[in-house]
Amino acid sequence: MTWLDLIGWTGSALLVWSLLQNRLLRLRALNLLGCLVLIGFNAAVGVWPMVGLNVVLTAINIWYLARMLVTRHDTKAYQVVEVRTDDDFLAHTLRLHDRDIARFNPGLRWDAKAGNAAAFLIVNGDEVVGVVLFRTTGDGVAQVELDYVTPRYRDFTPGEFVYRQSQYFRKHGCRTVVTPPGMVSPYYGKLGFRREGDSYVLDLPQAPAAV
């Protein structure tokens, strides 16, 4: 096998590997890399139709990657929908992802009938991409029970759209948000939370005084 053959097989392997990814950002990035390698390989061996195909695929991947990165913090792309804690669709979402939820939130003990609980779905278009569940502790604290992102959007942080809108917590009488202890791969340091032990804490901005 020549070094040129090795380059061709590497590009093909990257394309196949990209299609095995369940994270959208990673899929596009690996697919783009594979296309770039195959552009060089096919140009070297003079297979110009394949060069043209991979140039088009490269442009498509760049367009999707740019769109993902531009909209990852865009409130127009992601919407927060508060639902009842005993909502059937919420229960379906939790059942559908129960094993994955247990990986990242191993201590979850959710009581859908608790009167001091609240639930939010984060959606992108008509697709649910995240779930945030919390309960109030009676002293102005919102204790987050679950902050879950579906595998396709694992490279993004859709839960941030709940934390950036303090009215979601203030309407429940909360002034402080505390995240689940021991959560795997937390991202709260990027959102203004401070670390306290195994959890992160966010002090919510106070509502403006009535005039």
Side-chain angles (χ1 to χ4, degrees):
M1 179 182 294
T2 67
W3 66 269
L4 195 57
D5 292 330
L6 183 61
I7 291 176
W9 282 111
T10 299
S12 297
L14 284 170
L15 287 185
V16 173
W17 189 26
S18 73
L19 297 177
L20 297 176
Q21 306 302 310
N22 56 15
R23 298 188 184 189
L24 293 178
L25 188 64
R26 187 175 298 178
L27 185 155
R28 289 293 176 184
L30 288 172
N31 200 276
L32 172 61
L33 181 58
C35 289
L36 291 173
V37 172
L38 288 176
I39 288 173
F41 169 75
N42 286 295
V45 297
V47 185
W48 301 110
M50 295 304 296
V51 171
L53 172 62
N54 282 284
V55 166
V56 172
L57 293 177
T58 295
I60 292 173
N61 281 315
I62 290 174
W63 187 85
Y64 274 104
L65 280 170
R67 184 179 179 186
M68 289 177 189
L69 295 175
V70 167
T71 62
R72 67 188 306 174
H73 303 296
D74 188 354
T75 56
K76 295 180 181 178
Y78 296 89
Q79 300 295 319
V80 177
V81 181
E82 184 170 6
V83 298
R84 288 175 23 176
T85 56
D86 60 352
D87 181 81
D88 288 340
F89 186 72
L90 171 64
H92 166 73
T93 302
L94 296 178
R95 285 195 303 270
L96 184 64
H97 299 283
D98 59 348
R99 290 187 178 180
D100 200 39
I101 287 173
R103 287 179 54 214
F104 292 91
N105 296 264
L108 177 64
R109 297 292 184 272
W110 174 243
D111 182 2
K113 298 181 179 179
N116 62 339
F120 299 89
L121 298 176
I122 301 95
V123 297
N124 184 355
D126 60 357
E127 180 181 3
V128 175
V129 302
V131 181
V132 172
L133 308 175
F134 75 85
R135 59 180 173 81
T136 59
T137 62
D139 53 359
V141 173
Q143 175 63 59
V144 178
E145 298 290 337
L146 174 66
D147 183 351
Y148 175 71
V149 179
T150 59
R152 280 165 53 84
Y153 289 81
R154 191 69 39 85
D155 292 318
F156 305 92
T157 55
E160 71 178 88
F161 297 102
V162 176
Y163 305 120
R164 286 182 172 177
Q165 304 295 322
S166 57
Q167 72 268 18
Y168 295 132
F169 298 97
R170 285 205 301 262
K171 67 183 291 188
H172 293 277
C174 299
R175 302 182 302 274
T176 304
V177 180
V178 180
T179 67
M183 180 181 173
V184 178
S185 301
Y187 61 95
Y188 304 109
K190 302 176 183 179
L191 302 179
F193 284 74
R194 66 179 185 276
R195 186 71 180 262
E196 288 192 5
D198 291 333
S199 299
Y200 289 80
V201 177
L202 176 67
D203 296 316
L204 299 172
Q206 298 301 305
V211 178

